[in-house]
Amino acid sequence: MPPVGFFLMIEASRIDMAAHSQDPAAIVHDSIAYLETVAAVRSFVKQHPDTLLVATSDHDTGGLALGYQWVKDGATYPEYAWHPALVSEVHVSAESLAGEFTAPPFVEAVAVAAGGDGGDGGAGAGGVVVVANRTLIGARLREEFARFNVTGEEVERVAVAAERAGRNGSVWETSLELHGAIGALTSRRAGVGFTTTGHTGVDVNLYAEGAGSEALVGNLENTEVGALVAAAMGFRLADVSASARLAGVVVDNGVDYEGSRRRTRADQDSWHGGR
């Protein structure tokens, strides 16, 4: 009996989440973890030459730009530089800090009488509003970003975003606002920019090594990659889908991944740093 092969997918999903957060340090740390994983798989392929390794992405996220020109003191002429060493000095993710800043003691729920001014943390019709402790948030930011000389304006931006995120719970958009406010502490100083908190339409890289890798060259549609991987394993995806439907298996259940899955990420591990 011939040996049974295998199909293994390893997803470095946290690179995507870090880019949604516009957090350059988390992007770097998770990318390094991905490269270490690829190195381990390549070592396996070298020992088992009948194995095909494919490394790619389903999309780009964030629109990362290196050498981004943040306008400083009214200057308009671009500064052709970026400073990667500053990114390497960051040891905690924006998402991790955001988790701290949306919980006591960094934010507190305060009762407001009807007619009171809830500010950014709530409404003036009465009820409970979320108020951020600027002193604690500022101290925590200056602890993590000791060399950055965090300004009062930056602390206020993070505090306001923390109030909105704390009021709205785990709503994706307000969480990203807070992540971005924290990530900007690094981006502005390192010369890193982003075009979006979402996905972009740029081409992504495709790498292949091992048995059958010669078919995975050139500019390919993303669906072609799956078809070529299936062909390398000796079957057609259309045939498998047809067989599954005949067997009563739901092939496409219509779940809106972008609309629901991304809001419930408790089961996804990630790099959050630590000292």
Side-chain angles (χ1 to χ4, degrees):
M1 180 177 178
V4 177
F6 67 91
F7 175 86
L8 171 67
M9 186 185 80
I10 304 172
E11 183 179 9
S13 62
R14 300 306 303 182
I15 301 173
D16 170 66
M17 303 312 299
H20 278 298
S21 298
Q22 299 188 342
D23 183 353
I27 291 173
V28 168
H29 282 278
D30 279 311
S31 295
I32 291 172
Y34 173 68
L35 291 174
E36 291 172 346
T37 303
V38 170
V41 176
R42 290 187 69 191
S43 176
F44 178 90
V45 172
K46 285 182 172 59
Q47 297 173 37
H48 303 81
D50 58 342
T51 306
L52 172 62
L53 163 64
V54 179
T56 189
S57 173
D58 55 338
H59 57 74
D60 170 72
T61 301
L64 176 69
L66 304 181
Y68 187 87
Q69 174 65 20
W70 296 87
V71 177
K72 303 173 184 177
D73 302 323
T76 57
Y77 192 78
E79 178 185 358
Y80 298 111
W82 82 287
H83 310 287
L86 293 178
V87 177
S88 68
E89 294 179 10
V90 179
H91 302 289
V92 65
S93 71
E95 185 177 343
S96 177
L97 284 176
E100 295 182 36
F101 293 162
T102 51
F106 295 98
V107 293
E108 299 288 350
V110 178
V112 176
D117 181 11
D120 284 311
V128 176
V129 298
V130 175
V131 178
N133 187 317
R134 270 74 174 164
T135 300
L136 291 181
I137 289 177
R140 186 74 178 93
L141 290 174
R142 292 181 176 107
E143 174 189 10
E144 287 295 345
F145 304 96
R147 286 193 54 196
F148 285 7
N149 296 319
V150 177
T151 68
E153 180 182 358
E154 290 173 319
V155 172
E156 179 64 19
R157 189 179 299 116
V158 171
V160 169
E163 289 174 340
R164 290 182 182 141
R167 181 182 68 198
N168 295 323
S170 60
V171 173
W172 179 252
E173 289 75 16
T174 50
S175 295
L176 283 187
E177 179 188 5
L178 177 55
H179 297 178
I182 298 169
L185 300 177
T186 305
S187 298
R188 287 179 175 271
R189 290 163 175 82
V192 175
F194 295 88
T195 63
T196 179
T197 57
H199 300 165
T200 75
V202 303
D203 288 349
V204 297
N205 290 356
L206 171 64
Y207 306 95
E209 182 177 351
S213 58
E214 62 278 359
L216 291 151
V217 297
N219 194 305
L220 302 175
E221 293 289 335
N222 58 356
T223 52
E224 291 181 89
V225 177
L228 289 168
V229 170
M233 299 178 69
F235 61 83
R236 294 174 64 248
L237 293 175
D239 296 337
V240 174
S241 297
S243 298
R245 290 190 183 97
L246 287 174
V249 177
V250 177
V251 177
D252 181 3
N253 60 11
V255 171
D256 178 10
Y257 176 89
E258 290 300 319
S260 59
R261 176 63 172 170
R262 69 181 184 183
R263 288 181 169 83
T264 56
R265 305 190 305 278
D267 59 326
Q268 297 179 3
D269 195 9
S270 60
W271 175 87
H272 288 311
R275 294 188 178 280

